[in-house]
Structure formats: C-alpha cells, structure tokens
Amino acid sequence: MVVDLEYRWLAINRTAADEFERIFGWRPEVGTNMSDLIAGRSENKAAIKGLWSRALGGEEFTTIEALGNPGRDQRHYEMKFSVLRDKDGRRIGAYQFVYDVTDRLEAEKRLAEAQEALRQSQKMEAVGQLAGGIAHDFNNLLTVIIGGLGQLERGIASISDQNLTTRLRRSCEMAQQASQRSAKLTARLLAFSRRQPLDPKPIDANRLIADLADMLARTLGEEVRLEVITAPGLWMAHADVNELENAILNLAVNARDAMPEGGRLTIETGNTFLDDDYVSTIAEPVAAGQYVLIAVTDTGVGMDAGTLARVFEPFFTTKPVGQGTGLGLSQVYGFIRQSNGHVRIYSELGQGTTVKLYLPRFAASAQPDRHAPDSTGRLGGDETILVVEDHDDLRSYSVGVLQELGYRVLEAPNGPAALDLLTRVDRVDLLFTDVVLPAGMDGRRLADEALRLRPELRVLFTTGYSRNAIVHNGRLDPGVQLLPKPFTFDALAAKVRSVLDQPKTTL
Ligand code: ADP
Ligand code: MG
C-alpha cells in the first residue's frame, strides 16, 4: 500500500486490502484516510499507527508484527516500509510491502525444536556409548577382582594364626562388599546404555508391587506413607523382572529423598493406550498400542524445568557428594527404552513428582519361558570344558575356578584357536565363551561352527554386555544360556552345572 503524508491511501492492492479488512473490519480504499479507520484503541490499531507514523516521518525499515487476535486468527506479517518521493526528490508519503510469514516462522520454530530434540538424543546416545564401553571393560576387571578375593577367602581358612585369619577375613569381606557395590554401579551404566542382557517375561505388575511393598515401606521410612492402588483386570506386562524391581526401587529412593519432612508415595497401575497422536510427540521411537502403566507419585519438593531436562543423564545429580550417584533415573530410562516401553516425568516445584512407566503389554503369542531352574546341590563335575576368552586374566580366573571344581579345562583366546582345538581333542562337553571376541569371529559364530563340528556340545555365553550377537531387540534368543559379567565363583559353578545337566536344546 502507498500512503501520503496525510495518511491517505494513494494505492492499495487487493490482497493487502483483504488482509486489512480481515484484521480491522474496515476495507481501505484509495482516497480514504487511515487515521479515521484506525482511530480506536485496539493494540492492533496502535501498532499500525505507530509504524506508519515512523514511515511517514521518513524512516525506512523492515519489521515483523503479529496482528489479529492471539490464539484465534493471529498471523505474523513482515512489513517493509520505504519513503515515497516525487520527481524532484521531495518526500510525499511512504509505501509498504506486506508478507504473511506465519507459516515460515512456524516451520522455523518446528525445525529448531526438532534440532534441539536431535541434539539431546545424540548427546544421550554418545554418553550411552561411553558409559557402555567403560562398564564393559570394568566388568572384566571386576570379575577378576571378585574372583581373586573369593580365592583369597577360601585360602585364608588354612592359615593357622587365628588373629591373622580374622583380620584377613575382615579385609576380604570389605573388599568383596566394595566390589559388589561397583558391580551394581556398572550394572546401572549398562542399563542406561541399553546394553545389558534382559530376560523379559510376562509380569503381573500388581503382584510384583504387592511383593515389593514390604521392602518399599522399609526403604521409605516412618515419615512417608505408602499407598498402592492397583487396577483390577490389569494386563500382563512384558519386561525383565529384576530390572523392573530395580527401577521401582530407584523411583522410591528418589521419592524418599524428595520428601525429607515426610509425605505420601502413591504407586498406581493401569491399562493404557498410547495413540498415534501421543507417540508422534515423543522424540524416542515408541510404537502406538497397549501398555501397562505404573505411576509413582510423591508429594515432595518437585523439580524445576532445568533439572527435569537433565534427570536421565548418567551422573546428573542435585544431591550432595556421597548421597547421589546420578544413576537411578538413568537405569530407569535405559531399561524402559530397551524394553520398548516409555517413561515420562511430570513435576511441579513444591508440589511433587509423578514418574510414569509404560511397559508393553505381553502378547500371548510370545514363547512362554522354559528356563530350567538352576540346579543346586552337586556343583562340580568331571566333564571337559573349553573356555574361550580374550581377556588373559579373566580367562585364567575362569580356568582356575573350573579346575578347582574338578572339571577338565581347555582354553583358547579367540574363535579360530578354539575351533582348531575342537578338531584335535576327542572330548569336549561344554563351550564356555565370551560373546565379544577378536579375530573376526564373535562368540555366537564360534558356537554355530562348533555345533556343526560337535552337535552334542553344550554352550554357555558370558558377556559384559551384548551388542547384537545373542541379544535381539533387548531379549535373549530362545535356548541361549548366558552368565552376565561380573560373575562370582558360586554363580559360575551353579550355571555351568545347570547347563551341563539340562536336556539339550538347539541354539
Ligand atoms: P540421584 O538420585 O543419585 O541424584 P537420579 O538419577 O535417581 O540420581 O536422579 C537425578 C536427579 O533427579 C536427582 O538428583 C534429583 O535432583 C532429581 N529427582 C529425581 N527424582 C526426583 C523426585 N521424585 N523429586 C524431585 N527430584 C527428583
Ligand atoms: Mg536416585
């Protein structure tokens, strides 16, 4: 539109006139005076008057203005004002180009949000890689440490000096406890990086919570009241039982810490449906469908937006040194995501916090679990076991333990060497192999080749974590036997015996 110094329209095109009419309810025409039309007091009118008075005062500028009613028909316009001169160069008015940039701004905003979400998820992914790598190596070391301590403990018994025995035993115990605590921390790191082997089973969440209630009440202390509201007719969820218990415990501990003066912790269950609309708003990939909901609500201090944005990051804690590890919610996040579920936190400063865990509903078609219980009683044996492990200390530890239990033991540092052995010796009953191996052959491939050579062979895998070799979509392939690292003397003894005693299942 073109306007003279008296605010009269000299020219205006159709589109500009249409927009003007839409916003102000008046249709501008050549010759009419703008000041009459926009004499009222609305914000929109004031904005237009202000802009034109600058333009007619000789200023040339570009601006973006929001006009219309916020929340209803508001749109954003880019306006470019220039001075109009006659042929002698005298200022006689101003002209304006208007562009509706609402869609462009909206697209830019969405792009910025998407980039932010991507950045956040890449950060979580990178931290996960790092955490998983550390946990994997650390588990190897811990296995050696825990194993060595166990051997020391058994050796101490044969020392004749009673005083020395007592002192050594106490040191050993303390070292054992510290290693077990370290093992727990590495387990949480693995959980965060979604690289722990999970063993999902159908779970009745109502029962699981009822079974946990005692321990939860003890964890929460006297000042916090525990309230459990279970939904009747609750679907079966599909998840790893131990990790789900850990997740609920982590949430309860956080709730307790958030209620130093006491309060109420409510655990609720329910059947829910996540629809397409909802899942499309989530950055992580979550399938629409049926979920079992476990909601944990406290009446504690709550979180501000800054804290809320970072709670899932490993080692993020607002607690004093020594009190928080920053790994509780990381475990929850990694476990739920690896289980194809979804976790969401709602929090209000000073009011409280709700953490909602959505676990996929158990599809009845999934294979029922057919793990034989670990056999107790007879622990050792005289069978022949081939140990394949690239970590030298760890290999000699496992070999030592198995020999101590009476087994005949062969060893190899990688897959090709193990296969070579298998073609040369006459008797091997069990292949005990690490999943991640060097020399271009992982444990899974080694097992396949070995079974071709000796169909009667039993196989037991061990791993600090599993990439994809035996854990697919976060679950063990049927028939696969796995001993997670770090393992203790007793765990190794029991697992080896139970695999040897089980009827043969094909991999
Ligand atoms: P930690 O408990 O060791 O600090 P978490 O990963 O469990 O590590 O939690 C990280 C942070 O999230 C906590 O330090 C706290 O600031 C916040 N947080 C977690 N749960 C709650 C809660 N229920 N109420 C208030 N803040 C919480
Ligand atoms: Mg915690």
Side-chain angles (χ1 to χ4, degrees):
M1 34 180 105
V2 186
V3 174
D4 72 11
L5 293 174
E6 316 298 308
Y7 288 83
R8 266 189 310 263
W9 271 289
L10 298 175
I12 182 163
N13 80 357
R14 263 267 293 288
T15 319
D18 288 348
E19 281 301 278
F20 203 95
E21 187 178 7
R22 188 181 70 77
I23 297 165
F24 297 107
W26 295 87
R27 188 163 188 90
E29 274 161 33
V30 172
T32 42
N33 195 305
M34 184 187 300
S35 7
D36 299 341
L37 291 187
I38 57 177
R41 265 190 229 287
S42 86
E43 250 174 62
N44 289 326
K45 287 177 179 168
I48 286 293
K49 222 172 338 189
L51 292 170
W52 276 105
S53 80
R54 278 168 67 194
L56 295 174
E59 200 184 324
E60 302 203 312
F61 61 99
T62 303
T63 175
I64 293 181
E65 301 289 326
L67 294 178
N69 298 296
R72 265 199 292 142
D73 58 356
Q74 189 177 59
R75 298 195 68 82
H76 288 82
Y77 300 93
E78 184 180 281
M79 304 174 182
K80 190 168 179 230
F81 289 92
S82 308
V83 171
L84 179 71
R85 296 177 193 279
D86 66 10
K87 63 180 191 310
D88 300 325
R90 272 177 312 210
R91 261 190 324 110
I92 55 168
Y95 59 96
Q96 178 207 34
F97 289 101
V98 193
Y99 308 92
D100 184 331
V101 293
T102 312
D103 295 341
R104 193 188 82 200
L105 290 182
E106 183 60 29
E108 281 170 2
K109 195 171 132 227
R110 271 206 306 274
L111 182 66
E113 282 166 2
Q115 279 171 337
E116 175 56 27
L118 182 65
R119 208 185 55 76
Q120 181 66 18
S121 84
Q122 280 171 338
K123 177 164 128 197
M124 296 289 264
E125 207 53 47
V127 180
Q129 294 270 348
L130 178 70
I134 293 174
H136 172 246
D137 292 351
F138 207 65
N139 269 338
N140 279 339
L141 300 173
L142 270 178
T143 307
V144 176
I145 293 171
I146 292 173
L149 288 170
Q151 262 160 349
L152 277 180
E153 240 168 8
R154 289 191 296 282
I156 288 170
S158 57
I159 298 176
S160 49
D161 180 340
Q162 202 50 48
N163 268 339
L164 184 59
T165 311
T166 317
R167 261 187 296 133
L168 287 179
R169 194 162 274 148
R170 186 146 358 106
S171 307
C172 251
E173 253 160 39
M174 272 160 53
Q176 284 277 22
Q177 277 164 12
S179 336
Q180 295 301 343
R181 267 207 302 281
S182 314
K184 245 180 227 155
L185 291 183
T186 30
R188 286 185 179 182
L189 277 182
L190 276 184
F192 172 74
S193 59
R194 285 174 274 139
R195 281 178 180 163
Q196 68 188 334
L198 292 181
D199 190 8
K201 294 194 176 127
I203 297 178
D204 176 355
N206 286 348
R207 263 239 342 255
L208 180 116
I209 290 165
D211 291 346
L212 273 181
D214 265 358
M215 194 199 320
L216 287 175
R218 245 177 295 129
T219 309
L220 293 169
E222 311 247 294
E223 302 301 318
V224 175
R225 207 167 71 233
L226 174 65
E227 209 164 78
V228 178
I229 305 170
T230 51
L234 189 67
W235 296 327
M236 287 290 201
H238 198 209
D240 185 291
V241 182
N242 289 329
E243 285 299 304
L244 179 56
E245 286 182 356
N246 282 339
I248 294 174
L249 271 175
N250 282 334
L251 295 181
V253 170
N254 281 347
R256 180 201 62 197
D257 293 348
M259 299 185 283
E261 249 91 84
R264 196 172 61 242
L265 178 78
T266 311
I267 304 183
E268 257 173 293
T269 60
N271 296 332
T272 49
F273 189 84
L274 296 184
D275 59 19
D276 288 320
D277 273 356
Y278 181 81
V279 299
S280 71
T281 65
I282 308 172
E284 296 104 32
V286 178
Q290 295 176 318
Y291 289 83
V292 173
L293 168 68
I294 302 177
V296 179
T297 304
D298 64 58
T299 55
V301 293
M303 290 174 250
D304 57 26
T307 303
L308 198 52
R310 299 192 56 195
V311 285
F312 291 133
E313 289 173 22
F315 305 118
F316 175 80
T317 181
T318 57
K319 294 169 192 173
V321 177
Q323 280 184 36
T325 60
L327 290 174
L329 288 177
S330 313
Q331 181 268 341
V332 173
Y333 173 84
F335 158 63
I336 295 289
R337 280 207 59 198
Q338 200 183 347
S339 305
N340 300 321
H342 171 55
V343 51
R344 181 124 205 175
I345 303 187
Y346 303 86
S347 193
E348 199 79 52
L349 257 190
Q351 302 293 312
T353 301
T354 297
V355 183
K356 291 187 166 183
L357 308 180
Y358 297 86
L359 295 166
R361 180 183 184 180
F362 174 67
S365 62
Q367 283 291 309
D369 183 67
R370 48 188 171 81
H371 275 269
D374 284 357
S375 66
T376 46
R378 196 167 73 101
L379 275 185
D382 55 5
E383 287 94 338
T384 302
I385 300 175
L386 171 54
V387 177
V388 188
E389 165 69 63
D390 58 311
H391 193 283
D392 289 338
D393 290 346
L394 187 49
R395 190 175 65 249
S396 27
Y397 163 65
S398 303
V399 169
V401 169
L402 293 169
Q403 280 170 341
E404 204 173 315
L405 288 163
Y407 295 105
R408 245 189 82 214
V409 186
L410 307 167
E411 54 181 301
N414 58 47
L419 284 179
D420 183 48
L421 259 177
L422 279 173
T423 56
R424 285 191 287 114
V425 299
D426 32 301
R427 190 179 156 198
V428 178
D429 302 287
L430 174 73
L431 171 66
F432 176 49
T433 177
D434 196 10
V435 173
V436 183
L437 285 174
M441 183 183 282
D442 66 26
R444 180 68 207 226
R445 267 218 22 232
L446 166 62
D448 289 343
E449 300 276 330
L451 284 169
R452 240 199 304 283
L453 288 174
R454 293 170 181 259
E456 278 316 297
L457 192 68
R458 306 299 169 88
V459 180
L460 173 59
F461 292 101
T462 180
T463 181
Y465 64 75
S466 161
R467 283 207 177 88
N468 290 315
I470 55 168
V471 179
H472 292 112
N473 305 321
R475 52 207 59 175
L476 288 177
D477 289 345
V480 167
Q481 296 289 338
L482 178 76
L483 178 65
K485 289 178 190 172
F487 47 78
T488 60
F489 179 94
D490 293 340
L492 177 59
K495 192 74 187 179
V496 162
R497 195 61 257 161
S498 98
V499 173
L500 282 169
D501 289 342
Q502 250 171 59
K504 172 105 179 104
T505 53
T506 46
L507 277 186

